[in-house]
Every structure is written in C-alpha cells, then in structure tokens.
Amino acid sequence: MIEWISGFQPVQQALIGTLFTYAVTALGAAMVFFFKNISKKVLDGMLGFAAGVMIAASFWSLLAPSIDMAEQMGMIPWVPPVIGFLVGGAFLRLVDKLLPHLHLNAPMSEVEGVKTSWHKSILLTLAITLHNIPEGLAVGVAFGAVAAGIPSASLAGAVALALGIGIQNFPEGAAVSIPLRREGLSRTKSFMYGQASGIVEPIAGVLGALLVLVMQPVLPYALAFAAGAMIFVVVEEAIPESQSSGNTDIATLGAMVGFAVMMTLDVALG
C-alpha cells in the first residue's frame, strides 16, 4: 500500500487517505442495514476505543513530530507545539460554541451551539462531524509534512495515521446511524446521515496538505493544532459520552485498546 501511494502527489495522497477514513465511516454507518439496535455496552466500548486512538494519534503522530520539527527548524522546541495545541483546542471550542449539534443520548433540550430548528438527525450528524474536522486535518498535515522533506516525517507514519483514524471511524459511523434508526428513521436515511458525518474529512485533509506545502514554517504549529483539536474532542465529548451510561470499565478498556492499536500502528509502520 505504501509503495502504491508513494506514486501520487502529496495533496492526492492526503485525498486518498481521507477518502479511506470517510469510507470506513460509511461502512460503520452501513451497520444500520443489519442492526436496528446496538448494545449500549458495545457502543460505549467502541466510543472508548475511538477516544484511545485519538489520544495516541495526538501524541505519536502529531505532537512528537511537531517538537522534532520545531527543533530542526531552529525554533524553541516547545513553543510551536504549545501554541499550536492551545489554538487547536480554542478553535474547536469556537466551532463547538457556534455549530448547532446534539451529543449522543442527550435530549433535544440540551442542543449546543446557536439556536436552530433543525431536526435531531441533523444535530446528531453535526456532533460527529466535529470529531472529523481535526481527524481529516491531521491526516492531511501528516502527508504534507512528508512532502516538505521533514526528516522525522515518513510516508509510512502518515499511512499509519490514516489507518488508525479510519479504524476508529467505524464505530463513529455506527454511533450516528443506529441511534437514528432507533428514533424511527428509515435504514436508508439513517445510513445517509451517518456517512455524511465523514464527508468533511477529505475536505479538511486536502486543506491541511495544501497549507503545509504553501507555508512550510507553520508545519510544527499545524501538527500541534490538529492534536489540540482532537484532544478537545476526546475530553469534551468522546470520553464523557462513553462513560455516561455507567459502563465505565468497558469504556476505559476500549480506550486502552484503542491507544495500544494506534501506538502499535505508528511505531511499527512509522
């Protein structure tokens, strides 16, 4: 796979990588054609797994390379990662504040963002879309870093990140479509909403790669920005939701397994 993707231009690589992560989201959403309900324990375990993957990816694939790149560029090693990380979290907080969305299992009275009359199905889809903005950006920036010739960035590492993000997108797709089916939507509509939550990833991935190629000095900041945005999503949404039904041990074990899988992918391939 790595040899095959090496034949493409960086932006094309970012597009391919994020189209893969989107496809896995759609595959997860397609579970609605086979199941109308899903065990809350299973769902919480999958959400915990997704959180673990995102935490590991934030460090192994984003923050650690950001620190290395900052040092290689003659910057104070900790400054770009800290600034990028905090700005990434602040950006997601702004999006979270403005974009209307509804967390899983929350009543309509707890809709976040600006006031709207949108249906619950759209609000649930937008909640998962928030996850996918930093994920797509992270994959795009990782491929852009390879093209920029940064020694600590490798094509294998970028592919590993895309694989890890793709794996954790499967439960996210199911986490949208199956609850919508349970709410009374048809299987087709539930699937369409579920897969739609991942469409933003190819867009963010291409933008991330283009940004890095045009403005290479911002690369350490861009990597840390994606990490900060993902950690914000994990702490503000993924972990609380996975623990909200009392399945603490299952969600925690899921997070541990997710972290281990992403760490293994990054170290083994990167």
Side-chain angles (χ1 to χ4, degrees), residues 90-126:
F91 171 76
L92 253 290
R93 172 56 183 148
L94 178 63
V95 175
D96 186 67
K97 187 75 173 175
L98 297 177
L99 183 69
H101 64 283
L102 180 68
H103 296 301
L104 295 174
N105 305 312
M108 285 295 288
S109 59
E110 295 182 9
V111 172
E112 298 183 16
V114 297
K115 292 184 179 180
T116 179
S117 58
W118 291 348
H119 293 295
K120 186 175 184 178
S121 54
I122 296 177
L123 296 170
L124 284 170
T125 301
L126 289 176

Side-chain angles (χ1 to χ4, degrees), residues 183-261:
E183 291 286 332
L185 269 69
S186 68
R187 284 186 169 88
T188 300
K189 284 187 175 180
S190 298
F191 167 74
M192 293 304 294
Y193 280 119
Q195 62 84 32
S197 66
I199 290 177
V200 71
E201 289 199 8
I203 299 172
V206 170
L207 289 176
L210 285 172
L211 174 67
V212 170
L213 291 174
V214 174
M215 302 176 62
Q216 289 190 21
V218 307
L219 182 52
Y221 296 93
L223 286 166
F225 179 95
M230 283 211 288
I231 291 297
F232 180 91
V233 167
V234 169
V235 177
E236 195 268 344
E237 186 172 340
I239 290 178
E241 286 179 7
S242 71
Q243 310 252 347
S244 63
S245 299
N247 299 314
T248 303
D249 290 341
I250 293 174
T252 301
L253 287 173
M256 296 288 290
V257 172
F259 188 98
V261 168

Side-chain angles (χ1 to χ4, degrees), residues 37 137 148 222 232:
N37 293 296
L137 180 64
F232 180 91

Side-chain angles (χ1 to χ4, degrees), residues 18 32 45 61 81 90 125 151 161 177-178 182 185-186 230 253 264 267:
T18 48
V32 76
S61 299
T125 301
L161 178 59
S177 64
I178 292 178
R182 198 164 54 237
L185 269 69
S186 68
M230 283 211 288
L253 287 173
T264 300
V267 175

